[in-house]
C-alpha cells in the first residue's frame, strides 16, 4: 500500500543529490574517501512568501525563483566538496584557514548576493531560451507566410529542437552525464518511497528514472503551452513579438507550473496519464541510469531530510525551531 506523498522534491547536484522537505533542504555528497557528508539548510520563508505560495499562477513563479536561489547554495557545496577532494592536503589546509575567516565574516548581504545570482542566472537563461528562437524563426521564415499562429508554431518547433540538441550535447560530457545519473537516482528514490517500498539500493533500482514531478517536464510544458498562450495575443512586428514574449513569460511559467501539478495529480487515472508523457520523454535526455553508489547517496540524502523534518516537528514547528540549533551543516 502506498504511503501518502509529502511535498518532498529533489534535485541532482554535482556528485550528490539535494532533497527538499517540509522544513529543511539536505544535500548529500559522496567524498573521495567514500564517506557521505551532508549540507543541511533550514527552510525559513517569510510570511508573505508563504502566502504567495498558496496563490495559483503566482506560486509557480515563486517556487521556480526560490528553487534557483536556494539551489545555488547546494550546488556550491557539492562543487566545493569535489574541489576539496582533488586538492593536495597542504594546499587544502591553507584554503580551509582562508575559508574559516570568510565564514566568520559571512553576512546576510553575502548570502543574499548568492541567492540573487542564482535568480539572475535562471532569468537570464530563460530569457535567452525564449528570445533566441524568435530571432531565428524571424530570420528564416519571415516572408514564408503571414499567419502569426504559424510563425508561433514554427518558433515552438525551433525552441524544442534547440533544447533537445543542447541537452544531448551536454549529456555527452562526463560531468553532466554523472549529474544526470544522480538525477535518475533522485527520481528512483522518490518513486520507491511513493510506492511504500523500504529504501534499499536493490528496491530503489527497480523503479524508473522518470518521474512526473520533475523540472524537465516543466521545461517541456513551457514550450507547448507557450505556443498556445503566445497565439492568444497577435503581433505585427518583430519588436512587438519580442516584447510580448517578455511580458507573457511569467504567465507561461505560472500556467505551466499549474499544469504540471495537474498532470501529476491525474497520472493514475487511465487515459489521463498520457498528459504527462511529453515531459517524461524529455527526461530520457535529462536522466541516466544511476550506479548503486549513486542510489546510496540519494537514499542517504532523502532519509536525512525526513529525519530532520521529523525532529523539527517533534519539537513543535516554528520559525525559530527551524532556524535554530537543530541544523548544523556537516562538511566532513
Amino acid at each position: 500500500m502506498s504511503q501518502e506523498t509529502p511535498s518532498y522534491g529533489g534535485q541532482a547536484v554535482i556528485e550528490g543529490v539535494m532533497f527538499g522537505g517540509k522544513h529543511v533542504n539536505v544535500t548529500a555528497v559522496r567524498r573521495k574517501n567514500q564517506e557521505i557528508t551532508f549540507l543541511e539548510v533550514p527552510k525559513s520563508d517569510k510570511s508573505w512568501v508563504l502566502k504567495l505560495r498558496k496563490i495559483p499562477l503566482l506560486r509557480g513563479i515563486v517556487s521556480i525563483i526560490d528553487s534557483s536561489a536556494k539551489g545555488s547554495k547546494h550546488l556550491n557545496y557539492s562543487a566545493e566538496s569535489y574541489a576539496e577532494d582533488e586538492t593536495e592536503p597542504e594546499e587544502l589546509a591553507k584554503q580551509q584557514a582562508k575559508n574559516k575567516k570568510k565564514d566568520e565574516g559571512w553576512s546576510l548581504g553575502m548570502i543574499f548576493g548568492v541567492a540573487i545570482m542564482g535568480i539572475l542566472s535562471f532569468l537570464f537563461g530563460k530569457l535567452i531560451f525564449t528570445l533566441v528562437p524568435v530571432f531565428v524563426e524571424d530570420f528564416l521564415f519571415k516572408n514564408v507566410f503571414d499567419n502569426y499562429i504559424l510563425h508561433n508554431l514554427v518558433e515552438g518547433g525551433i525552441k524544442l529542437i534547440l533544447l533537445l540538441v543542447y541537452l544531448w550535447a551536454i549529456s555527452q560530457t562526463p560531468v553532466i552525464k554523472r549529474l544526470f545519473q544522480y538525477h535518475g537516482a533522485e527520481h528512483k528514490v522518490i518513486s520507491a518511497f511513493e510506492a511504500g517500498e523500504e529504501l534499499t539500493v536493490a528496491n530503489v533500482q527497480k523503479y524508473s528514472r522518470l518521474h512526473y514531478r520533475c523540472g524537465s517536464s516543466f521545461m517541456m510544458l513551457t514550450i507547448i503551452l507557450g505556443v498556445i498562450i503566445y497565439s492568444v495575443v497577435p503581433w505585427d512586428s518583430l519588436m512587438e513579438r519580442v516584447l510580448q514574449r517578455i511580458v507573457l513569460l511569467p504567465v507561461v511559467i505560472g500556467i505551466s507550473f499549474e499544469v504540471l501539478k495537474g498532470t501529476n495529480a491525474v497520472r493514475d487515472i487511465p487515459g489521463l496519464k498520457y498528459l504527462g508523457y511529453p515531459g517524461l520523454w524529455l527526461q530520457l535526455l535529462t536522466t541516466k541510469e544511476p550506479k548503486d553508489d549513486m542510489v546510496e547517496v540519494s537514499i542517504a540524502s532523502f532519509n536525512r531530510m525526513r529525519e530532520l523534518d521529523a525532529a523539527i516537528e517533534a519539537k513543535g514547528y516554528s520559525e525559530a525551531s527551524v532556524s535554530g540549533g537543530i541544523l548544523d551543516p556537516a562538511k566532513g
Side-chain angles (χ1 to χ4, degrees), residues 102-143:
K102 288 182 181 179
D103 291 340
E104 289 172 352
W106 188 258
S107 65
L108 180 61
M110 293 172 69
I111 296 173
F112 182 72
V114 171
I116 289 296
M117 285 303 297
I119 293 171
L120 291 178
S121 297
F122 165 77
L123 293 177
F124 180 75
K126 189 60 183 171
L127 275 175
I128 292 296
F129 183 68
T130 298
L131 297 182
V132 166
V134 172
F135 291 107
V136 172
E137 195 282 333
D138 184 76
F139 177 77
L140 295 176
F141 300 97
K142 181 177 182 179
N143 299 316

Side-chain angles (χ1 to χ4, degrees), residues 34-279:
Q34 299 306 305
E35 179 187 4
I36 297 176
T37 62
F38 301 95
L39 174 68
E40 301 154 1
V41 181
K43 289 185 174 181
S44 54
D45 291 331
K46 301 299 181 183
S47 58
W48 62 271
V49 174
L50 295 175
K51 291 178 181 178
L52 288 178
R53 284 181 177 277
K54 298 178 181 179
I55 302 176
L57 298 182
L58 283 180
R59 62 188 175 188
I61 300 171
V62 172
S63 294
I64 296 299
I65 292 177
D66 183 61
S67 295
S68 300
K70 293 179 178 177
S72 60
K73 183 171 185 178
H74 292 265
L75 187 62
N76 286 341
Y77 169 69
S78 180
E80 288 171 1
S81 299
Y82 178 79
E84 286 180 5
D85 287 343
E86 296 302 314
T87 304
E88 293 297 328
E90 297 80 7
E91 184 63 27
L92 179 59
K94 295 179 182 179
Q95 291 182 7
Q96 288 176 337
K98 291 180 180 179
N99 290 337
K100 184 177 181 180
K101 293 181 180 179
K102 288 182 181 179
D103 291 340
E104 289 172 352
W106 188 258
S107 65
L108 180 61
M110 293 172 69
I111 296 173
F112 182 72
V114 171
I116 289 296
M117 285 303 297
I119 293 171
L120 291 178
S121 297
F122 165 77
L123 293 177
F124 180 75
K126 189 60 183 171
L127 275 175
I128 292 296
F129 183 68
T130 298
L131 297 182
V132 166
V134 172
F135 291 107
V136 172
E137 195 282 333
D138 184 76
F139 177 77
L140 295 176
F141 300 97
K142 181 177 182 179
N143 299 316
V144 176
F145 35 75
D146 296 327
N147 190 309
Y148 77 94
I149 294 180
L150 289 178
H151 280 289
N152 289 345
L153 288 172
V154 174
E155 175 193 333
I158 292 173
K159 187 179 295 185
L160 178 59
I161 291 171
L162 289 176
L163 176 63
L164 295 178
V165 170
Y166 170 74
L167 290 175
W168 176 83
I170 65 173
S171 69
Q172 303 308 301
T173 65
V175 172
I176 300 301
K177 182 179 179 180
R178 287 186 65 82
L179 178 70
F180 287 174
Q181 285 179 293
Y182 275 110
H183 190 189
E186 170 252 312
H187 283 178
K188 284 173 175 276
V189 168
I190 293 177
S191 295
F193 176 78
E194 290 174 340
E197 289 269 19
E198 180 186 358
L199 295 184
T200 65
V201 173
N203 285 344
V204 169
Q205 284 285 34
K206 293 186 300 185
Y207 287 85
S208 171
R209 72 179 197 265
L210 312 181
H211 196 282
Y212 276 79
R213 196 171 57 252
C214 174
S216 301
S217 297
F218 176 78
M219 285 191 293
M220 181 64 80
L221 283 172
T222 59
I223 294 176
I224 297 173
L225 296 176
V227 172
I228 299 172
I229 295 168
Y230 294 146
S231 297
V232 173
V233 184
W235 46 266
D236 296 317
S237 67
L238 178 61
M239 184 56 65
E240 282 187 14
R241 188 177 182 181
V242 169
L243 290 175
Q244 181 202 83
R245 298 300 186 266
I246 295 174
V247 171
L248 291 179
L249 183 57
V251 178
V252 173
I253 292 175
I255 293 178
S256 297
F257 185 84
E258 298 302 324
V259 172
L260 180 62
K261 288 175 66 69
T263 57
N264 184 64
V266 301
R267 61 179 174 167
D268 294 325
I269 300 177
L272 296 183
K273 67 178 182 179
Y274 299 108
L275 293 174
Y277 272 34

